Amino acid sequence: SQKIEQNSEALNIQEGKTATLTCNYTNYSPAYLQWYRQDPGRGPVFLLLIRENEKEKRKERLKVTFDTTLKQSLFHITASQPADSATYLCALVLNDYKLSFGAGTTVTVRA
Amino acid sequence: GAVVSQHPSRVICKSGTSVKIECRSLDFQATTMFWYRQFPKQSLMLMATSNEGSKATYEQGVEKDKFLINHASLTLSTLTVTSAHPEDSSFYICSVRDLISRISNEQFFGPGTRLTVL
């Protein structure tokens, strides 16, 4: 069966450190992979998209990698800040443009 | 990016009643909108794809007669939960897909509607 797994439910880190989140998938062949941020009681907000032929994508303090052989994406938040505290969702973009989401990893950055 | 609103943000209703949730695209015309449901600490699950001027396409396991979707205009889609039961209590979120965005697969999400059925 198809499955998307994000490494852990929760990640607690010290301000200034790098948070690394993992997204693994099975039985999918996504054309794209996206990462979203979701704050409590709010809808997700798009952060980054990476295509199957791209190895790495950066946006300010965020970095995403995509390994289609391992079927894995890594999401890094460098120089983390308390304002980065949120739940981060990975989503696979399927051929019909539908999104299939992981359950998310909640990041808490301690000051 | 696109601005998407939902109304109401929260609703509490009695079991057996119907509830309508609106999703509006405020700054562009959306031919396609998506409806998701999210239970606590779980992922967003796609319920249906709403197409302007035609019938919605429902995902496997979603009852189309229970979750009525109407996409009568390019800026408005509605989801009606009919004969709601406590197990329908969830966070309902809509999204729109911006066809002219340079990131053509980016979806813009509404703020969500928290439904509680007593």
Side-chain angles (χ1 to χ4, degrees):
Chain A
S1 63
Q2 295 178 320
K3 201 184 293 185
I4 302 169
E5 291 182 329
Q6 294 192 236
N7 58 323
S8 61
E9 264 193 39
L11 184 65
N12 295 303
I13 60 169
Q14 185 72 37
E15 182 176 10
K17 301 292 185 184
T18 296
T20 298
L21 285 64
T22 305
C23 176
N24 294 293
Y25 59 92
T26 54
N27 296 322
Y28 281 104
S29 296
Y32 310 84
L33 188 146
Q34 299 180 340
W35 284 88
Y36 287 80
R37 169 181 172 142
Q38 187 176 24
D39 290 286
R42 307 292 295 175
V45 175
F46 173 82
L47 295 175
L48 281 166
L49 173 149
I50 188 164
R51 294 175 172 78
E52 59 179 342
N53 61 349
E54 296 176 317
K55 296 289 186 193
E56 183 179 297
K57 189 70 82 68
R58 290 176 185 260
K59 178 183 175 183
E60 297 173 353
R61 294 183 294 109
L62 307 178
K63 185 178 86 171
V64 172
T65 63
F66 192 14
D67 189 324
T68 55
T69 302
L70 291 178
K71 295 186 183 297
Q72 180 182 79
S73 175
L74 299 180
F75 177 81
H76 306 272
I77 307 171
T78 60
S80 60
Q81 304 168 0
D84 295 327
S85 299
T87 297
Y88 292 87
L89 309 169
C90 75
L92 304 186
V93 183
L94 308 178
N95 288 334
D96 53 4
Y97 303 111
K98 295 179 183 177
L99 297 182
S100 189
F101 282 89
T105 297
T106 299
V107 174
T108 303
V109 182
R110 303 187 307 275
Chain B
V3 179
V4 181
S5 71
Q6 282 184 240
H7 178 80
S9 58
R10 289 177 179 270
V11 57
I12 300 172
C13 69
K14 292 182 179 178
S15 186
T17 60
S18 294
V19 174
K20 181 185 284 188
I21 302 170
E22 293 184 349
C23 175
R24 290 184 185 274
S25 173
L26 298 183
D27 54 354
F28 80 95
Q29 296 176 333
T31 56
T32 302
M33 294 184 178
F34 300 95
W35 285 97
Y36 295 83
R37 181 167 53 180
Q38 186 178 32
F39 293 105
K41 296 193 181 299
Q42 293 188 26
S43 61
L44 279 78
M45 297 299 297
L46 179 65
M47 299 175 67
T49 303
S50 172
N51 303 298
E52 187 270 334
S54 64
K55 290 182 180 179
T57 306
Y58 290 81
E59 296 300 302
Q60 192 172 12
V62 178
E63 299 174 57
K64 63 180 173 104
D65 294 330
K66 180 169 181 63
F67 298 99
L68 302 179
I69 291 173
N70 187 303
H71 193 157
S73 78
L74 288 170
T75 59
L76 174 64
S77 174
T78 60
L79 169 68
T80 301
V81 183
T82 62
S83 187
H85 289 98
E87 57 266 31
D88 297 323
S89 299
S90 188
F91 193 50
Y92 291 86
I93 311 173
C94 70
S95 73
V96 304
R97 181 170 153 246
D98 182 359
L99 294 177
I100 64 172
S101 168
R102 60 183 177 87
I103 307 176
S104 62
N105 294 297
E106 181 177 354
Q107 289 188 20
F108 300 93
F109 287 82
T113 296
R114 173 74 59 194
L115 170 63
T116 303
V117 185
L118 302 175

